[in-house]
Amino acid sequence: MSRLNLTRLRQMKAEQNKIAMLTAYDASFSHVLEQAGVDVILVGDSLGMVIQGQESTLPVTVDDIIYHCRNVVRGSEKVFVIADMPFMSYANEGQAIANAARLMAEGGAQMVKLEGGAVMASTVEQLTARGIPVCAHLGLLPQSVHRVGGYRVQGRDAETAEQLILDAITLQDAGADMLVLECVPAVLTAKVTKALTIPVIGIGAGSICDGQVLVLYDMLGLTPGKRPRFSYDFLADTGTIQSAISKYVADVKSGEFPTLEQQF
Ligand code: KIV
């Protein structure tokens, strides 16, 4: 059994071979995603909203992520698996190391993801120095929803856009091996992707980046309420879960997703 690894993901960026990533939280979906050609599964703290029915991602615990990550790992053989670090599970470096170690050792994740800009650089350094690969997350940070006052597009003005580029470079220099960029204008994503050597995965961030990620239940039209503008109901077009996921993979790889309608 050999899973996709960071070397191959970096090669994919260099070869302009787009990375197809989705969230998943259980073994059955993990298997379906792998069969459909998904490269990376994120066990996102979005599970708080789509699995647990919470109003935000904030109540999700490290134990929750470990439980779901184990199931995702059991259901797959080849995909690269990333585990989200929940709200306040990396509030200081000691906590970050202890909790990331649990996500890797107990959850079976190959990488952890954490939200935040340059302020997280020393945490990223501490984790990577201990052999824990880190995916940074910039743009809209759902764990800061109460501070920013809602789920809004970030980096629209020149100053915040410039700060985001500097944050991305700082996090890469600190050792981050991947970046998720959420809800930012497509032109900003293109600049960040050009500035970095690590893969940049967009969600609501346009098409000029190294790959795409969506919340699985959003792209299957299962999440109650209004679907985010940047997502798309692939199940409505295709009729089966398997073909919906396959279509997503094909559209990400060909650059057909996202269209202009799903970008800012
Ligand atoms: O938790 C999650 O699913 C995420 C994605 C929105 C990138 O962080």
Side-chain angles (χ1 to χ4, degrees), residues 190-216:
K191 286 185 190 163
V192 174
T193 303
K194 197 166 169 216
L196 300 190
T197 54
I198 59 174
V200 176
I201 312 295
I203 171 164
S207 55
I208 306 176
C209 51
D210 305 306
Q212 299 291 327
V213 59
L214 285 177
V215 171
L216 178 64

PDB file of all heavy atoms in Angstrom, residues 190-216:
ATOM      1  N   ALA A 190      -3.835  33.951  -8.266  1.00  0.00           N
ATOM      2  CA  ALA A 190      -2.831  33.763  -9.323  1.00  0.00           C
ATOM      3  C   ALA A 190      -1.474  34.288  -8.861  1.00  0.00           C
ATOM      4  O   ALA A 190      -0.436  33.656  -9.084  1.00  0.00           O
ATOM      5  CB  ALA A 190      -3.295  34.473 -10.590  1.00  0.00           C
ATOM      6  N   LYS A 191      -1.470  35.441  -8.172  1.00  0.00           N
ATOM      7  CA  LYS A 191      -0.198  36.018  -7.696  1.00  0.00           C
ATOM      8  C   LYS A 191       0.438  35.120  -6.637  1.00  0.00           C
ATOM      9  O   LYS A 191       1.646  34.888  -6.652  1.00  0.00           O
ATOM     10  CB  LYS A 191      -0.446  37.414  -7.093  1.00  0.00           C
ATOM     11  CG  LYS A 191      -0.716  38.475  -8.130  1.00  0.00           C
ATOM     12  CD  LYS A 191      -0.838  39.844  -7.473  1.00  0.00           C
ATOM     13  CE  LYS A 191      -1.353  40.859  -8.491  1.00  0.00           C
ATOM     14  NZ  LYS A 191      -1.867  42.071  -7.893  1.00  0.00           N
ATOM     15  N   VAL A 192      -0.385  34.622  -5.712  1.00  0.00           N
ATOM     16  CA  VAL A 192       0.146  33.758  -4.640  1.00  0.00           C
ATOM     17  C   VAL A 192       0.710  32.475  -5.247  1.00  0.00           C
ATOM     18  O   VAL A 192       1.803  32.022  -4.887  1.00  0.00           O
ATOM     19  CB  VAL A 192      -0.964  33.437  -3.597  1.00  0.00           C
ATOM     20  CG1 VAL A 192      -0.465  32.423  -2.571  1.00  0.00           C
ATOM     21  CG2 VAL A 192      -1.442  34.703  -2.907  1.00  0.00           C
ATOM     22  N   THR A 193      -0.018  31.902  -6.191  1.00  0.00           N
ATOM     23  CA  THR A 193       0.406  30.634  -6.802  1.00  0.00           C
ATOM     24  C   THR A 193       1.746  30.804  -7.519  1.00  0.00           C
ATOM     25  O   THR A 193       2.618  29.931  -7.458  1.00  0.00           O
ATOM     26  CB  THR A 193      -0.682  30.137  -7.783  1.00  0.00           C
ATOM     27  OG1 THR A 193      -1.901  30.025  -7.060  1.00  0.00           O
ATOM     28  CG2 THR A 193      -0.324  28.796  -8.402  1.00  0.00           C
ATOM     29  N   LYS A 194       1.928  31.959  -8.150  1.00  0.00           N
ATOM     30  CA  LYS A 194       3.184  32.235  -8.858  1.00  0.00           C
ATOM     31  C   LYS A 194       4.325  32.454  -7.863  1.00  0.00           C
ATOM     32  O   LYS A 194       5.468  32.046  -8.104  1.00  0.00           O
ATOM     33  CB  LYS A 194       2.984  33.485  -9.727  1.00  0.00           C
ATOM     34  CG  LYS A 194       4.034  33.620 -10.784  1.00  0.00           C
ATOM     35  CD  LYS A 194       3.641  34.644 -11.824  1.00  0.00           C
ATOM     36  CE  LYS A 194       4.853  34.937 -12.699  1.00  0.00           C
ATOM     37  NZ  LYS A 194       4.920  36.311 -13.115  1.00  0.00           N
ATOM     38  N   ALA A 195       3.999  33.070  -6.727  1.00  0.00           N
ATOM     39  CA  ALA A 195       5.051  33.413  -5.753  1.00  0.00           C
ATOM     40  C   ALA A 195       5.547  32.195  -4.965  1.00  0.00           C
ATOM     41  O   ALA A 195       6.638  32.235  -4.389  1.00  0.00           O
ATOM     42  CB  ALA A 195       4.527  34.473  -4.786  1.00  0.00           C
ATOM     43  N   LEU A 196       4.742  31.138  -4.894  1.00  0.00           N
ATOM     44  CA  LEU A 196       5.095  29.991  -4.044  1.00  0.00           C
ATOM     45  C   LEU A 196       5.574  28.791  -4.859  1.00  0.00           C
ATOM     46  O   LEU A 196       5.133  28.584  -5.989  1.00  0.00           O
ATOM     47  CB  LEU A 196       3.885  29.557  -3.201  1.00  0.00           C
ATOM     48  CG  LEU A 196       3.269  30.570  -2.232  1.00  0.00           C
ATOM     49  CD1 LEU A 196       2.259  29.877  -1.318  1.00  0.00           C
ATOM     50  CD2 LEU A 196       4.304  31.280  -1.376  1.00  0.00           C
ATOM     51  N   THR A 197       6.414  27.979  -4.222  1.00  0.00           N
ATOM     52  CA  THR A 197       6.832  26.725  -4.866  1.00  0.00           C
ATOM     53  C   THR A 197       5.966  25.561  -4.368  1.00  0.00           C
ATOM     54  O   THR A 197       5.977  24.484  -4.955  1.00  0.00           O
ATOM     55  CB  THR A 197       8.307  26.413  -4.558  1.00  0.00           C
ATOM     56  OG1 THR A 197       8.470  26.420  -3.136  1.00  0.00           O
ATOM     57  CG2 THR A 197       9.227  27.434  -5.188  1.00  0.00           C
ATOM     58  N   ILE A 198       5.250  25.765  -3.257  1.00  0.00           N
ATOM     59  CA  ILE A 198       4.390  24.698  -2.723  1.00  0.00           C
ATOM     60  C   ILE A 198       3.016  24.754  -3.413  1.00  0.00           C
ATOM     61  O   ILE A 198       2.605  25.820  -3.888  1.00  0.00           O
ATOM     62  CB  ILE A 198       4.234  24.820  -1.180  1.00  0.00           C
ATOM     63  CG1 ILE A 198       3.616  26.178  -0.794  1.00  0.00           C
ATOM     64  CG2 ILE A 198       5.578  24.610  -0.505  1.00  0.00           C
ATOM     65  CD1 ILE A 198       3.290  26.305   0.701  1.00  0.00           C
ATOM     66  N   PRO A 199       2.296  23.621  -3.458  1.00  0.00           N
ATOM     67  CA  PRO A 199       0.975  23.640  -4.106  1.00  0.00           C
ATOM     68  C   PRO A 199      -0.011  24.558  -3.380  1.00  0.00           C
ATOM     69  O   PRO A 199      -0.074  24.563  -2.145  1.00  0.00           O
ATOM     70  CB  PRO A 199       0.516  22.178  -4.014  1.00  0.00           C
ATOM     71  CG  PRO A 199       1.749  21.378  -3.799  1.00  0.00           C
ATOM     72  CD  PRO A 199       2.690  22.268  -3.036  1.00  0.00           C
ATOM     73  N   VAL A 200      -0.749  25.326  -4.172  1.00  0.00           N
ATOM     74  CA  VAL A 200      -1.794  26.215  -3.653  1.00  0.00           C
ATOM     75  C   VAL A 200      -3.139  25.648  -4.103  1.00  0.00           C
ATOM     76  O   VAL A 200      -3.394  25.502  -5.302  1.00  0.00           O
ATOM     77  CB  VAL A 200      -1.611  27.655  -4.185  1.00  0.00           C
ATOM     78  CG1 VAL A 200      -2.754  28.548  -3.719  1.00  0.00           C
ATOM     79  CG2 VAL A 200      -0.264  28.219  -3.739  1.00  0.00           C
ATOM     80  N   ILE A 201      -3.979  25.331  -3.136  1.00  0.00           N
ATOM     81  CA  ILE A 201      -5.275  24.720  -3.428  1.00  0.00           C
ATOM     82  C   ILE A 201      -6.364  25.751  -3.131  1.00  0.00           C
ATOM     83  O   ILE A 201      -6.442  26.259  -2.008  1.00  0.00           O
ATOM     84  CB  ILE A 201      -5.509  23.463  -2.545  1.00  0.00           C
ATOM     85  CG1 ILE A 201      -4.293  22.518  -2.547  1.00  0.00           C
ATOM     86  CG2 ILE A 201      -6.784  22.730  -2.958  1.00  0.00           C
ATOM     87  CD1 ILE A 201      -3.964  21.889  -3.868  1.00  0.00           C
ATOM     88  N   GLY A 202      -7.191  26.033  -4.118  1.00  0.00           N
ATOM     89  CA  GLY A 202      -8.198  27.077  -3.948  1.00  0.00           C
ATOM     90  C   GLY A 202      -9.577  26.534  -3.614  1.00  0.00           C
ATOM     91  O   GLY A 202      -9.956  25.433  -4.020  1.00  0.00           O
ATOM     92  N   ILE A 203     -10.317  27.355  -2.858  1.00  0.00           N
ATOM     93  CA  ILE A 203     -11.749  27.115  -2.636  1.00  0.00           C
ATOM     94  C   ILE A 203     -12.399  28.503  -2.695  1.00  0.00           C
ATOM     95  O   ILE A 203     -12.125  29.346  -1.840  1.00  0.00           O
ATOM     96  CB  ILE A 203     -12.043  26.335  -1.323  1.00  0.00           C
ATOM     97  CG1 ILE A 203     -13.555  26.302  -1.031  1.00  0.00           C
ATOM     98  CG2 ILE A 203     -11.253  26.850  -0.126  1.00  0.00           C
ATOM     99  CD1 ILE A 203     -13.982  25.267   0.003  1.00  0.00           C
ATOM    100  N   GLY A 204     -13.163  28.737  -3.740  1.00  0.00           N
ATOM    101  CA  GLY A 204     -13.691  30.082  -3.945  1.00  0.00           C
ATOM    102  C   GLY A 204     -12.572  31.059  -4.239  1.00  0.00           C
ATOM    103  O   GLY A 204     -12.640  32.236  -3.870  1.00  0.00           O
ATOM    104  N   ALA A 205     -11.525  30.588  -4.905  1.00  0.00           N
ATOM    105  CA  ALA A 205     -10.325  31.401  -5.103  1.00  0.00           C
ATOM    106  C   ALA A 205      -9.915  31.441  -6.580  1.00  0.00           C
ATOM    107  O   ALA A 205      -8.792  31.809  -6.896  1.00  0.00           O
ATOM    108  CB  ALA A 205      -9.196  30.871  -4.230  1.00  0.00           C
ATOM    109  N   GLY A 206     -10.805  31.039  -7.461  1.00  0.00           N
ATOM    110  CA  GLY A 206     -10.500  31.091  -8.884  1.00  0.00           C
ATOM    111  C   GLY A 206      -9.799  29.850  -9.385  1.00  0.00           C
ATOM    112  O   GLY A 206      -9.567  28.896  -8.631  1.00  0.00           O
ATOM    113  N   SER A 207      -9.446  29.895 -10.673  1.00  0.00           N
ATOM    114  CA  SER A 207      -8.925  28.673 -11.306  1.00  0.00           C
ATOM    115  C   SER A 207      -7.405  28.683 -11.476  1.00  0.00           C
ATOM    116  O   SER A 207      -6.813  27.656 -11.776  1.00  0.00           O
ATOM    117  CB  SER A 207      -9.588  28.482 -12.675  1.00  0.00           C
ATOM    118  OG  SER A 207      -9.387  29.646 -13.437  1.00  0.00           O
ATOM    119  N   ILE A 208      -6.772  29.861 -11.278  1.00  0.00           N
ATOM    120  CA  ILE A 208      -5.322  29.903 -11.535  1.00  0.00           C
ATOM    121  C   ILE A 208      -4.568  29.550 -10.260  1.00  0.00           C
ATOM    122  O   ILE A 208      -4.002  30.396  -9.567  1.00  0.00           O
ATOM    123  CB  ILE A 208      -4.908  31.267 -12.108  1.00  0.00           C
ATOM    124  CG1 ILE A 208      -5.777  31.527 -13.340  1.00  0.00           C
ATOM    125  CG2 ILE A 208      -3.419  31.268 -12.498  1.00  0.00           C
ATOM    126  CD1 ILE A 208      -5.582  32.846 -13.977  1.00  0.00           C
ATOM    127  N   CYS A 209      -4.617  28.270  -9.929  1.00  0.00           N
ATOM    128  CA  CYS A 209      -3.875  27.753  -8.773  1.00  0.00           C
ATOM    129  C   CYS A 209      -3.611  26.270  -9.060  1.00  0.00           C
ATOM    130  O   CYS A 209      -3.892  25.793 -10.165  1.00  0.00           O
ATOM    131  CB  CYS A 209      -4.644  27.977  -7.479  1.00  0.00           C
ATOM    132  SG  CYS A 209      -6.334  27.422  -7.503  1.00  0.00           S
ATOM    133  N   ASP A 210      -3.057  25.564  -8.093  1.00  0.00           N
ATOM    134  CA  ASP A 210      -2.566  24.210  -8.385  1.00  0.00           C
ATOM    135  C   ASP A 210      -3.597  23.113  -8.149  1.00  0.00           C
ATOM    136  O   ASP A 210      -3.324  21.939  -8.411  1.00  0.00           O
ATOM    137  CB  ASP A 210      -1.308  23.942  -7.547  1.00  0.00           C
ATOM    138  CG  ASP A 210      -0.267  25.014  -7.770  1.00  0.00           C
ATOM    139  OD1 ASP A 210       0.080  25.257  -8.953  1.00  0.00           O
ATOM    140  OD2 ASP A 210       0.182  25.649  -6.793  1.00  0.00           O
ATOM    141  N   GLY A 211      -4.749  23.474  -7.619  1.00  0.00           N
ATOM    142  CA  GLY A 211      -5.778  22.472  -7.383  1.00  0.00           C
ATOM    143  C   GLY A 211      -6.988  23.117  -6.738  1.00  0.00           C
ATOM    144  O   GLY A 211      -6.988  24.322  -6.462  1.00  0.00           O
ATOM    145  N   GLN A 212      -8.012  22.309  -6.544  1.00  0.00           N
ATOM    146  CA  GLN A 212      -9.265  22.804  -5.957  1.00  0.00           C
ATOM    147  C   GLN A 212      -9.699  21.889  -4.832  1.00  0.00           C
ATOM    148  O   GLN A 212      -9.443  20.692  -4.859  1.00  0.00           O
ATOM    149  CB  GLN A 212     -10.383  22.823  -7.019  1.00  0.00           C
ATOM    150  CG  GLN A 212     -10.121  23.722  -8.209  1.00  0.00           C
ATOM    151  CD  GLN A 212     -10.164  25.205  -7.860  1.00  0.00           C
ATOM    152  OE1 GLN A 212     -10.919  25.635  -6.982  1.00  0.00           O
ATOM    153  NE2 GLN A 212      -9.350  25.996  -8.545  1.00  0.00           N
ATOM    154  N   VAL A 213     -10.387  22.494  -3.850  1.00  0.00           N
ATOM    155  CA  VAL A 213     -11.038  21.698  -2.804  1.00  0.00           C
ATOM    156  C   VAL A 213     -12.449  22.234  -2.610  1.00  0.00           C
ATOM    157  O   VAL A 213     -12.693  23.430  -2.759  1.00  0.00           O
ATOM    158  CB  VAL A 213     -10.242  21.733  -1.464  1.00  0.00           C
ATOM    159  CG1 VAL A 213     -10.065  23.127  -0.918  1.00  0.00           C
ATOM    160  CG2 VAL A 213     -10.897  20.828  -0.416  1.00  0.00           C
ATOM    161  N   LEU A 214     -13.382  21.322  -2.332  1.00  0.00           N
ATOM    162  CA  LEU A 214     -14.740  21.707  -1.950  1.00  0.00           C
ATOM    163  C   LEU A 214     -15.163  20.846  -0.770  1.00  0.00           C
ATOM    164  O   LEU A 214     -14.612  19.756  -0.544  1.00  0.00           O
ATOM    165  CB  LEU A 214     -15.728  21.471  -3.102  1.00  0.00           C
ATOM    166  CG  LEU A 214     -15.711  22.456  -4.281  1.00  0.00           C
ATOM    167  CD1 LEU A 214     -16.716  22.017  -5.348  1.00  0.00           C
ATOM    168  CD2 LEU A 214     -16.011  23.889  -3.832  1.00  0.00           C
ATOM    169  N   VAL A 215     -16.151  21.334  -0.047  1.00  0.00           N
ATOM    170  CA  VAL A 215     -16.765  20.518   1.002  1.00  0.00           C
ATOM    171  C   VAL A 215     -17.682  19.506   0.290  1.00  0.00           C
ATOM    172  O   VAL A 215     -18.547  19.891  -0.501  1.00  0.00           O
ATOM    173  CB  VAL A 215     -17.550  21.406   1.993  1.00  0.00           C
ATOM    174  CG1 VAL A 215     -18.371  20.565   2.955  1.00  0.00           C
ATOM    175  CG2 VAL A 215     -16.582  22.312   2.766  1.00  0.00           C
ATOM    176  N   LEU A 216     -17.440  18.230   0.548  1.00  0.00           N
ATOM    177  CA  LEU A 216     -18.137  17.150  -0.158  1.00  0.00           C
ATOM    178  C   LEU A 216     -19.656  17.335  -0.163  1.00  0.00           C
ATOM    179  O   LEU A 216     -20.307  17.206  -1.208  1.00  0.00           O
ATOM    180  CB  LEU A 216     -17.768  15.815   0.525  1.00  0.00           C
ATOM    181  CG  LEU A 216     -18.418  14.557  -0.017  1.00  0.00           C
ATOM    182  CD1 LEU A 216     -17.991  14.279  -1.446  1.00  0.00           C
ATOM    183  CD2 LEU A 216     -18.085  13.362   0.879  1.00  0.00           C
TER     184      LEU A 216
END
